[in-house]
Amino acid sequence: MAEYGACILGLRMSVDMGVQKVFVLGNSDLLVHQIQGEWETLDLKLILYRQCLHDLCQRFQSIEFRHIPRIHTEVVDALATLASMLHHPDKAYVDPLHIQIHDQHAYCNVVEEELDGEPWFHDIKEYIRMVVYPVQATGD
């Protein structure tokens, strides 16, 4: 039932904003198939929700629903967990979170080139071997 409520809320907001074309990604296989009319809605409590969704869908120029398996929504789950941990006063502005996808591991993006020509881990390796900080090593 929560999936229907979230979908109705999102579509109502889209209608209010004047959106004409909607692409809905959902992790509820049941909801996606029911709203597309592929599966029957037998639960009496859900029939009214389905009808409300059907009525909302008529208000768009085009609308498409697609099921995303839960295994592919781990980033969404993590963001929802983080959002639930935020404590902020009413009317506070929360900066948007920008997510970038890279072709390599994140640590490769922050490691700077070493001036001495040695690999980035050279100083660490020398410290472990000699148990003395190298002369050129910094507190960082």
Side-chain angles (χ1 to χ4, degrees), residues 3-131:
E3 293 90 0
Y4 272 96
C7 192
I8 289 169
L9 179 63
L11 291 180
R12 280 200 175 147
M13 288 174 57
S14 299
V15 167
D16 292 345
M17 293 170 50
V19 174
Q20 294 297 311
K21 296 180 181 182
V22 180
F23 182 59
V24 181
L25 299 172
N27 64 2
S28 171
D29 199 31
L30 177 69
L31 182 137
V32 170
H33 286 288
Q34 285 179 344
I35 196 63
Q36 290 177 333
E38 298 168 358
W39 294 355
E40 241 350 93
T41 306
L42 300 177
D43 189 340
L44 295 175
K45 293 180 283 188
L46 295 181
I47 291 174
L48 291 175
Y49 284 102
R50 186 185 177 286
Q51 185 58 47
C52 182
L53 269 176
H54 180 71
D55 294 344
L56 279 170
C57 290
Q58 303 306 311
R59 299 179 70 176
F60 295 100
Q61 197 175 69
S62 76
I63 186 165
E64 181 182 345
F65 288 85
R66 185 168 306 158
H67 173 246
I68 303 295
R70 184 164 290 284
I71 195 163
H72 297 297
T73 61
E74 56 230 2
V75 172
V76 174
D77 294 339
L79 289 174
T81 301
L82 288 172
S84 70
M85 297 164 139
L86 287 176
H87 297 287
H88 57 284
D90 291 349
K91 299 180 183 177
Y93 176 77
V94 179
D95 288 328
L97 179 63
H98 299 282
I99 298 174
Q100 297 176 345
I101 299 174
H102 295 280
D103 294 334
Q104 58 188 6
H105 296 290
Y107 64 81
C108 295
N109 296 322
V110 295
V111 175
E112 297 175 5
E113 184 179 343
E114 293 291 324
L115 300 176
D116 59 4
E118 298 290 342
W120 66 268
F121 54 84
H122 176 73
D123 292 338
I124 299 168
K125 187 175 175 184
E126 286 301 305
Y127 174 74
I128 292 170
R129 190 171 64 83
M130 305 286 282
V131 193

